[in-house]
């Protein structure tokens, strides 16, 4: 049984590549999708497509409309979601994607360092599983195939 | 027509009291509900009810289970949601509540200072209306009764 | 049994007042709600609340966000919808509200002059009932109480 | 990941062919579906199948029942929707399809010329993304595969 | 706790009056709603409102559009449904209402004479409860209040 | 685009075979599914699997539980439904399947002889398309591929 | 804000009376509903209404159809659910009601003695809150009103 | 037509292997999925992935979070569910899975020995089909392909 898993979360390091490589080594029949990982492209995509906007507020709104379109298409094609929080940045879109997954009945694995236990406690309580590393998240996905 | 509005967001100042007072001055037939605003009580509620937990991770999980129960009951009774973000704190539960509102088709007003435009852009793009002050949020609610 | 009915459609004449008066004469226990009928206020509401926008595109988007918020709140409180099309104007928001009503399983009465039969044929085919006058629409509502 | 996209909108020029050709040149793995584009056939389909109707009102209703059947089947098979408005015609069925897409949680790209900004403002505000050309719409679809 | 119960089924005898009288004698806080019981009015309602139709097929379609509007409004306001089948007539709209109730998660009591056990077996198997008399149906409703 | 279509309706003649043959001649990429067409097997399936039942009421209930299981599995896999009514028999399970299709948003084609216009008027009014012959039903399906 | 809470669970002691009394002492504006608590009546209700059944299997099925009707009506009217497990009996209908509550998005409090932690672990993990006493369950409900 | 069927129920004997073998002998194009059948692994999976927990309550909660994640992914991919109850153990997670299947509109076959008729009566009444052996359950699945 093949599965599609959406990888929500920060785009400032290569955690998605690590996770995909580990999944390949385990021979898991899982197809991973996720947001645009090129941060600059993600921030510019509104103006790249729709042209110069009046100021940064409108530039951000234009970019987020395209990013949200992408997310909605891919999230709806997914069988499960992994949402990873790092120690930097606000990451409210990660929280938004995780909460969307819960409401849309997409099974959710939350990955966060111990330092974020307190601020993420409500989201963690609603997630199916909460772990601290991407390897643990893969352990959970692998368990489906045991 | 009476409405119930859930006030999601930070519990570190008295913005809910201000908003309720202003609503009363405008004679709006709106009943406001929201989370526990006593921060200490909110953090302790798990242990207050279920007793001492092994450590802070479990203490936080116990508290958030009761807080999430309260939120789910009140959010489902609401006709609309206001979610306010301030400049401090992670506020991921606010993002979670706002995203839940969107997915549950509860009309959503987002309130955030200009400094948070960029990190909140995806959530703002999905909200019905985004404003910067609670008075503007009340203007939006008042408009229903014009 | 009291009912709430949303009156979607053009805001350029006083058809809602006529309909409400006729309903009152028939003693129907129906509460009518609808969009902002002051056209200027409806077009300005974005800037009235959020302040001056960069140009007309953004001004229109700001206004429509508040108008859509109002519509979503009131449509969800309604038990049925009447959508009236007149001979002038594009009235695409009327078509949008009527289609939303259908998808949200809100029973829908479409009112349109004979001259609009052809361009409204797909929407009419999905509506519960299509009539030509507001008095006929009231006849349909009255029939619930016979 | 293959996607199916429904192309709602006017059937009076060859914009769908242009869009499909451009998509082919970009090697996008997208399958496009849409309404009957032969206008005469679309208007006659009711009588073609069910026989002569009493007059034009019934002829239109018969045709629209078959057109709506086709639309419902194909819209439900789609992962996203593009709705294009041109400068002529009422195009209320386009507005109906776009609004259905929103309520059925099908991600929606709206394409409209600048001249239609004002009458389409409420629909545009609810769409995921609004652009002015079909090439921009394809840019948004392409972005999913970056 | 007050309940609203929709009484689907044939309109050729006074079973609804009997049931309402018995419910009153039992002091049940139940509000009963149902279809138009004046058979002639029910068949004529389309032409009564929309005027003369080309022939009986269109006359029937016009009438049923108004009857379906009424049914949809009242069924959605109901907490439970009683569907009664008698020994005469096709009663396919009763079967339609009963099946709608099931799919909309409205608890359903089916009332039918023993002679109709075989042709109603699939519907009976999906109903919550199947009985043979309206008094038994009231027994089931009364049981909620014990 | 391949489609699956559920063929609800009477099992007393070979209309499904005719329809499948005609579809094959038209090269339509449609997979047809439907109920058990061996009437005796359909009536006996409960006792065939679960053993002798106390009397005919229980025998019918046992059979219908298995038939309903089959219908629910296949209806949910289908993209559209054709429901055919003939001039004999009660056919209430056909009405039930047709109504389920409507509530589950499965596009529905109703096939019925002119003699059944009046008793089927409410169901016909809710179906997407109503025709009189299985060839017309195939015309509607073919139209999707034009 | 008044709430309705369904009390699922064993009917072999007076825990519901205790809970209602405690709620009254705390002045909570909560209306409690639940299953038939007279065990004999609950087991006999099928035969009481529908008459003598062939054997105990059919007697049980008749009774459960009426009990399930009652549960479905009351559960759907409720804003939250408390499910209590005791140390005796199978209590599979309690597990069924608790699971229904979760899938219907009714916030759920699970009450179970420590001895049942292991067999109830999957259900407890999906409940909003799990406690050991009915007083703790009331603490959770009271917290909504703080 | 290929189907996926989830096998809920006790993991203490090899009933799933027997069922799969019988299905293979009948050449049924059915893919079976289910829970982790290694009981020890199932109980340890929380600590295996997340490390040592404070005590058995937390160990059970950690394990059940991973087991529930697996179940939710696989149940949502399934077209039907078989839930088997044996004579030992509490099996409340089986009741939970069966009830989830009902609420998610997954057709359900219940398998239980005659000795469990009484305690399972409410669940049996809501299941599509109830049988006593896995061979009967396969008979029901086979019937789809006749």
């Amino acid at each position: 049984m093949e599965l599609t898993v959406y990888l929500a979360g920060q785009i400032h390091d290569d955690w998605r590549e690590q996770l995909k490589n580990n999944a390949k080594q385990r021979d898991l029949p899982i197809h991973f999708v996720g947001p645009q990982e090129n941060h600059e492209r993600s921030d510019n995509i509104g103006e790249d497509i729709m042209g110069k906007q009046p100021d940064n507020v409108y530039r951000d709104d234009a970019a987020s409309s395209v990013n949200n379109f992408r997310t909605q298409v891919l999230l709806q094609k997914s069988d499960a979601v992994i949402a990873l929080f790092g120690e930097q940045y606000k990451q409210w879109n990660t929280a938004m994607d995780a909460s969307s997954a819960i409401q849309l009945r997409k099974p959710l694995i939350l990955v966060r360092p111990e330092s974020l236990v307190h601020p993420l406690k409500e989201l963690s309580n609603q997630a199916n599983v909460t772990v601290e590393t991407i390897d643990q998240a893969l352990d959970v996905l692998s368990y489906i195939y045991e």
Side-chain angles (χ1 to χ4, degrees), chain A residues 34-125:
Chain A
Q36 171 60 255
E37 293 176 62
N38 179 329
H39 197 174
E40 204 176 355
R41 173 71 166 155
S42 170
D43 277 359
N44 293 337
I45 185 64
E47 292 198 335
D48 286 355
I49 294 179
M50 290 166 247
K52 188 68 183 166
Q53 302 295 308
D55 67 21
N56 278 353
V57 176
Y58 297 98
R59 176 177 172 269
D60 276 348
D61 190 52
S64 65
S65 74
V66 183
N67 286 321
N68 280 342
F69 177 84
R70 175 181 169 136
T71 302
Q72 192 179 340
V73 170
L74 295 177
L75 198 61
Q76 292 188 354
K77 301 290 276 189
S78 299
D79 302 300
V81 173
I82 294 176
L84 179 142
F85 284 82
E87 297 201 324
Q88 289 180 301
Y89 310 102
K90 295 292 190 186
Q91 307 174 83
W92 283 319
N93 54 347
T94 309
M96 179 184 82
D97 292 346
S99 182
S100 293
I102 293 163
Q103 297 300 339
L104 297 170
R105 300 182 194 269
K106 305 281 180 186
L108 173 68
I109 302 169
L110 194 69
V111 187
R112 54 105 187 81
E114 206 187 338
S115 56
L116 297 183
V117 165
H118 189 67
L120 276 171
K121 65 183 191 298
E122 274 84 14
L123 200 47
S124 168
N125 178 263

